[in-house]
Amino acid sequence: MMMNTTLDQLRGLKLVSMAQALQEQMQQSGISAMSFEERLALLVDREVHGRQDRRCAKLLKTARLKYPQAMIEDLDCRASRGIDRATVMSLTLGPWVSSGHTVLITGPTGVGKSWLGCALAQHACRQGHSAFYQRVPRLGEELRIRHANGTFTRWLDILKNTDVLVLDDWGLVGMDAQTRTDLLEMIDDRAGRKATVITSQLPIEHWHEWIGDATVADAMLDRIMQNHHRLTLTGESLRKARPSQKREENQG
């Protein structure tokens, strides 16, 4: 009876993982051989890890990543893809998020740019950072809706304080004047403060022309290129490779 009260009190204090661990300890026959301090340490450790897991799950849900299961540890670094594992790992271990750096991922279609961008954001979430994924081709529509319903300023403020912003498919479609101005605001708010990941199949030397307005392009690229890391992917489309790989596996 007393133990049930203790479990209820732990749940009331939102120590859910600790309560679950205590229940498990009660069912273990050899647990009495451990000292009180050892058992308490196990309970606290379970609660700490449980909270970390729940926070990570919440951050990933908010991030809305295109590839939420993408993990940097699973990165394919074959020479044909042009990915330097040392460079990528230095990013994951370095302070690019806390220092507000920009990561530019370019390469032809289908080589895994979006996956890599999501993997970097997913890794940041596992480290306790917030993230958000946005496809640039849909940005104009998103902005028009938010201007119309009065949520634009609030959304801009949320993005301003998000630790990692992934802008996917940069340069894929053209922008109108309003989208261009709003995008500059987003970039300016984050420059040097919060990290941004940009993926694009358009070579960087063509970005100025794509942005359109020379003055806005100068201002935007000046902020993007400040403290940036560049990853250039190469090789054939992974989307084309998958069917042939599947056939080989079936034949093997």
Short mmCIF file of all heavy atoms in Angstrom, two decimals, residues 109-148:
data_model
loop_
_atom_site.label_atom_id
_atom_site.label_comp_id
_atom_site.label_asym_id
_atom_site.label_seq_id
_atom_site.Cartn_x
_atom_site.Cartn_y
_atom_site.Cartn_z
N THR A 109 20.51 16.69 -58.40
CA THR A 109 19.30 16.12 -57.81
C THR A 109 19.50 14.66 -57.42
O THR A 109 20.19 13.90 -58.12
CB THR A 109 18.12 16.24 -58.79
OG1 THR A 109 16.94 15.74 -58.16
CG2 THR A 109 18.37 15.45 -60.07
N GLY A 110 18.93 14.28 -56.29
CA GLY A 110 18.91 12.88 -55.88
C GLY A 110 20.14 12.36 -55.17
O GLY A 110 20.22 11.17 -54.87
N VAL A 111 21.12 13.23 -54.86
CA VAL A 111 22.37 12.73 -54.26
C VAL A 111 22.32 12.71 -52.73
O VAL A 111 23.30 12.33 -52.09
CB VAL A 111 23.60 13.54 -54.74
CG1 VAL A 111 23.83 13.33 -56.22
CG2 VAL A 111 23.43 15.02 -54.41
N GLY A 112 21.21 13.14 -52.14
CA GLY A 112 21.07 13.04 -50.69
C GLY A 112 21.25 14.34 -49.93
O GLY A 112 21.53 14.32 -48.73
N LYS A 113 21.05 15.47 -50.60
CA LYS A 113 21.23 16.77 -49.93
C LYS A 113 20.20 16.97 -48.81
O LYS A 113 20.54 17.37 -47.70
CB LYS A 113 21.11 17.91 -50.95
CG LYS A 113 22.11 17.85 -52.09
CD LYS A 113 21.96 19.02 -53.04
CE LYS A 113 20.60 19.07 -53.71
NZ LYS A 113 20.33 17.90 -54.58
N SER A 114 18.94 16.69 -49.13
CA SER A 114 17.87 16.87 -48.14
C SER A 114 18.07 15.93 -46.96
O SER A 114 17.87 16.31 -45.80
CB SER A 114 16.50 16.61 -48.77
OG SER A 114 16.26 17.52 -49.82
N TRP A 115 18.48 14.69 -47.25
CA TRP A 115 18.71 13.70 -46.20
C TRP A 115 19.82 14.18 -45.26
O TRP A 115 19.67 14.12 -44.03
CB TRP A 115 19.09 12.36 -46.82
CG TRP A 115 19.16 11.22 -45.84
CD1 TRP A 115 18.18 10.32 -45.56
CD2 TRP A 115 20.28 10.87 -45.01
NE1 TRP A 115 18.61 9.43 -44.59
CE2 TRP A 115 19.90 9.74 -44.23
CE3 TRP A 115 21.56 11.40 -44.83
CZ2 TRP A 115 20.75 9.14 -43.31
CZ3 TRP A 115 22.41 10.81 -43.91
CH2 TRP A 115 22.01 9.70 -43.16
N LEU A 116 20.91 14.68 -45.84
CA LEU A 116 22.03 15.15 -45.03
C LEU A 116 21.63 16.36 -44.19
O LEU A 116 21.99 16.46 -43.01
CB LEU A 116 23.22 15.49 -45.92
CG LEU A 116 24.48 16.02 -45.22
CD1 LEU A 116 24.94 15.08 -44.12
CD2 LEU A 116 25.60 16.23 -46.25
N GLY A 117 20.87 17.28 -44.79
CA GLY A 117 20.40 18.44 -44.04
C GLY A 117 19.54 18.03 -42.86
O GLY A 117 19.68 18.57 -41.75
N CYS A 118 18.65 17.06 -43.09
CA CYS A 118 17.79 16.56 -42.00
C CYS A 118 18.62 15.82 -40.95
O CYS A 118 18.32 15.91 -39.75
CB CYS A 118 16.71 15.64 -42.56
SG CYS A 118 15.42 16.50 -43.49
N ALA A 119 19.64 15.09 -41.39
CA ALA A 119 20.49 14.37 -40.44
C ALA A 119 21.23 15.33 -39.51
O ALA A 119 21.37 15.07 -38.31
CB ALA A 119 21.49 13.49 -41.20
N LEU A 120 21.70 16.45 -40.06
CA LEU A 120 22.36 17.45 -39.22
C LEU A 120 21.38 18.06 -38.21
O LEU A 120 21.72 18.26 -37.04
CB LEU A 120 22.96 18.56 -40.10
CG LEU A 120 24.20 18.18 -40.91
CD1 LEU A 120 24.55 19.29 -41.90
CD2 LEU A 120 25.39 17.91 -40.00
N ALA A 121 20.16 18.33 -38.67
CA ALA A 121 19.14 18.89 -37.77
C ALA A 121 18.72 17.86 -36.72
O ALA A 121 18.51 18.20 -35.55
CB ALA A 121 17.93 19.35 -38.58
N GLN A 122 18.60 16.60 -37.14
CA GLN A 122 18.22 15.54 -36.21
C GLN A 122 19.28 15.36 -35.13
O GLN A 122 18.96 15.17 -33.95
CB GLN A 122 18.01 14.23 -36.98
CG GLN A 122 17.22 13.18 -36.23
CD GLN A 122 18.10 12.07 -35.66
OE1 GLN A 122 19.29 12.25 -35.47
NE2 GLN A 122 17.49 10.94 -35.38
N HIS A 123 20.54 15.45 -35.53
CA HIS A 123 21.63 15.35 -34.56
C HIS A 123 21.58 16.51 -33.58
O HIS A 123 21.80 16.33 -32.37
CB HIS A 123 22.98 15.33 -35.28
CG HIS A 123 24.15 15.12 -34.37
ND1 HIS A 123 24.81 16.16 -33.77
CD2 HIS A 123 24.76 13.99 -33.94
CE1 HIS A 123 25.79 15.69 -33.02
NE2 HIS A 123 25.78 14.37 -33.10
N ALA A 124 21.26 17.70 -34.08
CA ALA A 124 21.13 18.87 -33.21
C ALA A 124 20.01 18.67 -32.19
O ALA A 124 20.15 19.03 -31.02
CB ALA A 124 20.89 20.12 -34.04
N CYS A 125 18.89 18.08 -32.64
CA CYS A 125 17.77 17.80 -31.73
C CYS A 125 18.20 16.84 -30.63
O CYS A 125 17.82 16.99 -29.46
CB CYS A 125 16.58 17.23 -32.49
SG CYS A 125 15.71 18.42 -33.53
N ARG A 126 19.00 15.84 -30.99
CA ARG A 126 19.48 14.88 -29.99
C ARG A 126 20.40 15.54 -28.98
O ARG A 126 20.58 15.03 -27.87
CB ARG A 126 20.19 13.71 -30.68
CG ARG A 126 19.23 12.71 -31.32
CD ARG A 126 19.97 11.48 -31.79
NE ARG A 126 20.65 11.69 -33.06
CZ ARG A 126 21.80 11.10 -33.39
NH1 ARG A 126 22.41 10.30 -32.55
NH2 ARG A 126 22.35 11.33 -34.57
N GLN A 127 20.99 16.67 -29.37
CA GLN A 127 21.84 17.42 -28.45
C GLN A 127 21.05 18.46 -27.65
O GLN A 127 21.62 19.24 -26.89
CB GLN A 127 22.96 18.14 -29.23
CG GLN A 127 23.84 17.21 -30.06
CD GLN A 127 24.50 16.13 -29.23
OE1 GLN A 127 25.11 16.42 -28.21
NE2 GLN A 127 24.38 14.88 -29.66
N GLY A 128 19.72 18.47 -27.84
CA GLY A 128 18.86 19.38 -27.08
C GLY A 128 18.54 20.69 -27.76
O GLY A 128 17.96 21.59 -27.15
N HIS A 129 18.89 20.82 -29.06
CA HIS A 129 18.61 22.05 -29.80
C HIS A 129 17.28 21.94 -30.54
O HIS A 129 16.88 20.86 -30.97
CB HIS A 129 19.73 22.33 -30.81
CG HIS A 129 21.08 22.54 -30.19
ND1 HIS A 129 21.39 23.66 -29.45
CD2 HIS A 129 22.20 21.77 -30.19
CE1 HIS A 129 22.64 23.58 -29.03
NE2 HIS A 129 23.15 22.44 -29.46
N SER A 130 16.63 23.07 -30.74
CA SER A 130 15.40 23.11 -31.52
C SER A 130 15.73 23.21 -33.00
O SER A 130 16.79 23.71 -33.38
CB SER A 130 14.53 24.29 -31.09
OG SER A 130 15.23 25.51 -31.26
N ALA A 131 14.81 22.73 -33.85
CA ALA A 131 15.04 22.77 -35.29
C ALA A 131 13.70 22.93 -36.01
O ALA A 131 12.64 22.67 -35.44
CB ALA A 131 15.75 21.50 -35.76
N PHE A 132 13.78 23.35 -37.28
CA PHE A 132 12.57 23.46 -38.10
C PHE A 132 12.96 23.28 -39.56
O PHE A 132 13.98 23.80 -40.01
CB PHE A 132 11.89 24.81 -37.91
CG PHE A 132 10.54 24.90 -38.58
CD1 PHE A 132 9.43 24.28 -38.02
CD2 PHE A 132 10.39 25.57 -39.78
CE1 PHE A 132 8.19 24.34 -38.64
CE2 PHE A 132 9.16 25.64 -40.41
CZ PHE A 132 8.05 25.03 -39.84
N TYR A 133 12.13 22.52 -40.29
CA TYR A 133 12.38 22.23 -41.70
C TYR A 133 11.38 22.98 -42.57
O TYR A 133 10.17 22.97 -42.29
CB TYR A 133 12.25 20.72 -41.94
CG TYR A 133 12.27 20.29 -43.39
CD1 TYR A 133 13.47 19.97 -44.02
CD2 TYR A 133 11.09 20.21 -44.13
CE1 TYR A 133 13.48 19.57 -45.36
CE2 TYR A 133 11.10 19.81 -45.46
CZ TYR A 133 12.30 19.49 -46.07
OH TYR A 133 12.31 19.11 -47.39
N GLN A 134 11.89 23.63 -43.63
CA GLN A 134 11.01 24.35 -44.54
C GLN A 134 11.52 24.20 -45.98
O GLN A 134 12.68 24.50 -46.27
CB GLN A 134 10.99 25.85 -44.19
CG GLN A 134 10.20 26.72 -45.16
CD GLN A 134 8.72 26.42 -45.15
OE1 GLN A 134 8.08 26.42 -44.09
NE2 GLN A 134 8.14 26.15 -46.31
N ARG A 135 10.64 23.70 -46.86
CA ARG A 135 10.99 23.67 -48.28
C ARG A 135 10.82 25.06 -48.85
O ARG A 135 9.77 25.67 -48.71
CB ARG A 135 10.12 22.68 -49.04
CG ARG A 135 10.44 21.22 -48.79
CD ARG A 135 9.79 20.32 -49.84
NE ARG A 135 10.43 20.45 -51.14
CZ ARG A 135 9.80 20.82 -52.26
NH1 ARG A 135 8.52 21.13 -52.23
NH2 ARG A 135 10.45 20.90 -53.41
N VAL A 136 11.85 25.58 -49.49
CA VAL A 136 11.80 26.94 -50.04
C VAL A 136 10.75 27.09 -51.14
O VAL A 136 10.09 28.13 -51.20
CB VAL A 136 13.21 27.36 -50.53
CG1 VAL A 136 13.17 28.75 -51.15
CG2 VAL A 136 14.20 27.33 -49.37
N PRO A 137 10.52 26.08 -52.01
CA PRO A 137 9.47 26.24 -53.03
C PRO A 137 8.08 26.48 -52.44
O PRO A 137 7.22 27.05 -53.11
CB PRO A 137 9.53 24.91 -53.80
CG PRO A 137 10.94 24.46 -53.65
CD PRO A 137 11.32 24.85 -52.25
N ARG A 138 7.84 26.04 -51.21
CA ARG A 138 6.54 26.24 -50.57
C ARG A 138 6.54 27.45 -49.63
O ARG A 138 5.52 27.74 -49.00
CB ARG A 138 6.15 24.98 -49.78
CG ARG A 138 5.89 23.77 -50.67
CD ARG A 138 5.48 22.57 -49.84
NE ARG A 138 5.24 21.41 -50.68
CZ ARG A 138 5.01 20.18 -50.21
NH1 ARG A 138 4.98 19.98 -48.90
NH2 ARG A 138 4.80 19.17 -51.04
N LEU A 139 7.67 28.12 -49.54
CA LEU A 139 7.78 29.23 -48.60
C LEU A 139 6.85 30.38 -48.96
O LEU A 139 6.21 30.97 -48.09
CB LEU A 139 9.23 29.72 -48.55
CG LEU A 139 9.53 30.86 -47.57
CD1 LEU A 139 9.21 30.44 -46.14
CD2 LEU A 139 11.00 31.29 -47.68
N GLY A 140 6.75 30.70 -50.26
CA GLY A 140 5.90 31.80 -50.68
C GLY A 140 4.45 31.59 -50.27
O GLY A 140 3.80 32.51 -49.74
N GLU A 141 3.94 30.38 -50.49
CA GLU A 141 2.56 30.07 -50.11
C GLU A 141 2.38 30.15 -48.60
O GLU A 141 1.38 30.70 -48.10
CB GLU A 141 2.19 28.67 -50.60
CG GLU A 141 0.78 28.24 -50.25
CD GLU A 141 0.48 26.81 -50.68
OE1 GLU A 141 1.38 26.16 -51.26
OE2 GLU A 141 -0.64 26.35 -50.42
N GLU A 142 3.35 29.61 -47.85
CA GLU A 142 3.29 29.65 -46.39
C GLU A 142 3.26 31.10 -45.89
O GLU A 142 2.47 31.45 -45.00
CB GLU A 142 4.51 28.93 -45.81
CG GLU A 142 4.57 28.89 -44.30
CD GLU A 142 3.59 27.92 -43.69
OE1 GLU A 142 3.33 26.87 -44.30
OE2 GLU A 142 3.07 28.22 -42.59
N LEU A 143 4.07 31.94 -46.49
CA LEU A 143 4.14 33.34 -46.07
C LEU A 143 2.85 34.08 -46.41
O LEU A 143 2.37 34.90 -45.61
CB LEU A 143 5.33 34.02 -46.74
CG LEU A 143 6.71 33.56 -46.26
CD1 LEU A 143 7.81 34.09 -47.17
CD2 LEU A 143 6.96 34.00 -44.82
N ARG A 144 2.27 33.81 -47.58
CA ARG A 144 1.01 34.47 -47.95
C ARG A 144 -0.10 34.11 -46.97
O ARG A 144 -0.90 34.98 -46.58
CB ARG A 144 0.62 34.08 -49.38
CG ARG A 144 1.41 34.81 -50.45
CD ARG A 144 0.82 34.58 -51.83
NE ARG A 144 1.01 33.21 -52.28
CZ ARG A 144 2.10 32.77 -52.90
NH1 ARG A 144 3.12 33.60 -53.12
NH2 ARG A 144 2.19 31.52 -53.31
N ILE A 145 -0.16 32.85 -46.58
CA ILE A 145 -1.18 32.41 -45.62
C ILE A 145 -0.99 33.12 -44.28
O ILE A 145 -1.95 33.61 -43.67
CB ILE A 145 -1.13 30.88 -45.43
CG1 ILE A 145 -1.57 30.18 -46.72
CG2 ILE A 145 -2.00 30.45 -44.26
CD1 ILE A 145 -1.36 28.68 -46.69
N ARG A 146 0.25 33.21 -43.84
CA ARG A 146 0.52 33.82 -42.53
C ARG A 146 0.32 35.33 -42.55
O ARG A 146 -0.09 35.92 -41.54
CB ARG A 146 1.93 33.44 -42.07
CG ARG A 146 2.04 31.95 -41.75
CD ARG A 146 3.31 31.58 -41.04
NE ARG A 146 3.32 30.17 -40.68
CZ ARG A 146 2.73 29.65 -39.61
NH1 ARG A 146 2.08 30.46 -38.77
NH2 ARG A 146 2.78 28.36 -39.36
N HIS A 147 0.60 35.97 -43.66
CA HIS A 147 0.30 37.40 -43.78
C HIS A 147 -1.21 37.61 -43.71
O HIS A 147 -1.70 38.55 -43.08
CB HIS A 147 0.84 37.96 -45.09
CG HIS A 147 2.29 38.36 -45.03
ND1 HIS A 147 2.75 39.38 -44.23
CD2 HIS A 147 3.38 37.87 -45.68
CE1 HIS A 147 4.06 39.52 -44.39
NE2 HIS A 147 4.47 38.60 -45.26
N ALA A 148 -1.96 36.70 -44.37
CA ALA A 148 -3.41 36.85 -44.44
C ALA A 148 -4.10 36.60 -43.10
O ALA A 148 -5.07 37.29 -42.76
CB ALA A 148 -3.98 35.89 -45.49
#
